Amino acid sequence: QIKERSVAWALLNKLVRRSVRPSFRWPKDGEPEKVDWTGALNQLAVAKAAGVRKVVYVGSMGGTQPDNFLNTIGEGNILVWKRRAEMSLVLSGLDYTIIHPGGLTNEEGGQRQLLVGVDDELLDGPPAARRIPRADVAAVAVACLSLRSAANVSFDLASTDLEEGAEPTDIETLVSSLGGKSCDYTINAPPGSDLEPFLNNQERARDWIQQWRDMTSQSMGKLEQSSGVAEPKKQVQRWIQNWKDRTADRAAEAPAASAADEAPAVDSEA
């Protein structure tokens, strides 16, 4: 809720060419800590109790930026609580996909090329690459429920400007283009976060990436030595797919702490 007096103050400052933002207040029980943190933990606890196996969580870009404007609204630290909830999901033992969209718009979906990245790298691009239609976010979220390449991955999502005649983005290809990258939750971790599991996950990820590089190097060497090109190429593709499958399986089997351990009693109003 915007504070009315702060609007008048901002307008007065604009007359003298000073930039002052209006201030906000949160309604009772609508604070980000209760909605984005406690509410998320309640949802995870209920999901686990119900036997849910896959959770697609939609957060927001900007989580690596401690001074992001969203954190200043009503001094609610929106992105801090969202990030903390995401970290609990990562450690929950549930299969997950975490999507960080840019600024949401009401424009028609399926009309733009979609972009993915990690750790807010898309925020360094042009303004158009910081926004995305809500319909496109929904389409990606639904697709990630069944995509193997989206298993246990956290990524940023945005779109390009509308281009006439642009081909609709293939979501499976889009997510696969991450090449195993996922957001690093050790960056701007919320105060009090246990980072050891995330550091361990990074070590495992580096090992898998190195294995993939070694496998690719070996396969390309065999390809160069072969007189028949078609079959080695197919073999390379099979090895790469096998690596992706093993990576997804290992990520799903990795030891994980339970987010339910942190969860308060389920509150139906959260």
Side-chain angles (χ1 to χ4, degrees):
Q1 296 174 339
I2 193 168
K3 295 180 180 179
E4 294 180 0
R5 291 183 179 180
S6 71
V7 175
W9 179 244
L11 291 173
L12 286 172
N13 276 275
K14 189 173 182 179
L15 293 175
V16 295
R17 297 185 177 181
R18 285 193 300 187
S19 178
V20 175
R21 287 173 172 167
S23 53
F24 301 80
R25 69 169 68 87
W26 297 99
K28 187 177 185 302
D29 294 328
E31 301 90 343
E33 180 179 359
K34 292 186 177 179
V35 174
D36 295 308
W37 167 237
T38 305
L41 289 184
N42 286 340
Q43 288 179 315
L44 291 182
V46 170
K48 295 191 75 171
V52 171
R53 295 168 58 186
K54 175 69 181 267
V55 173
V56 176
Y57 180 96
V58 179
S60 173
M61 278 204 285
T64 66
Q65 301 174 331
D67 57 349
N68 189 283
F69 170 67
L70 291 178
N71 286 327
T72 69
I73 297 177
E75 299 181 352
N77 288 317
I78 297 172
L79 297 179
V80 174
W81 294 113
K82 285 183 181 293
R83 196 164 180 81
R84 191 167 180 181
E86 291 170 15
M87 294 171 75
S88 293
L89 172 55
V90 171
L91 300 178
S92 69
L94 292 166
D95 186 10
Y96 67 87
T97 302
I98 299 171
I99 303 170
H100 301 137
L104 299 175
T105 73
N106 293 321
E107 295 166 309
E108 186 178 355
Q111 304 296 311
R112 295 163 173 76
Q113 289 294 307
L114 303 184
L115 309 169
V116 291
V118 296
D119 300 329
D120 293 324
E121 62 189 8
L122 295 179
L123 293 178
D124 295 329
R130 304 173 195 171
R131 301 188 299 267
I132 184 169
R134 288 177 168 85
D136 285 327
V137 176
V140 173
V142 171
C144 285
L145 285 169
S146 57
L147 287 178
R148 286 189 65 87
S149 56
N152 300 327
V153 172
S154 175
F155 61 90
D156 305 333
L157 179 67
S159 65
T160 61
D161 272 330
L162 181 61
E163 296 181 13
E164 193 169 336
E167 292 285 332
T169 300
D170 179 79
I171 297 176
E172 183 173 6
T173 302
L174 177 76
V175 177
S176 297
S177 71
L178 288 166
K181 292 191 297 183
S182 188
C183 291
D184 181 0
Y185 285 96
T186 66
I187 301 173
N188 193 35
S193 301
D194 179 12
L195 296 182
E196 184 174 353
F198 294 91
L199 294 171
N200 291 340
N201 285 342
Q202 285 182 333
E203 288 292 334
R204 285 197 292 271
R206 280 194 288 268
D207 289 344
W208 295 338
I209 290 172
Q210 188 58 52
Q211 290 175 21
W212 177 82
R213 287 174 175 166
D214 293 344
M215 193 186 314
T216 302
S217 177
Q218 293 170 9
S219 62
M220 293 310 294
K222 292 179 180 179
L223 183 63
E224 290 175 358
Q225 296 171 11
S226 174
S227 56
V229 176
E231 183 56 34
K233 277 188 176 179
K234 290 180 182 178
Q235 183 65 43
V236 171
Q237 292 169 351
R238 285 196 292 269
W239 284 336
I240 291 174
Q241 186 59 52
N242 288 340
W243 174 82
K244 289 180 178 177
D245 293 344
R246 288 202 304 273
T247 299
D249 292 341
R250 289 178 181 176
E253 295 170 0
S258 172
D261 296 340
E262 297 185 70
V266 173
D267 181 355
S268 60
E269 297 180 15

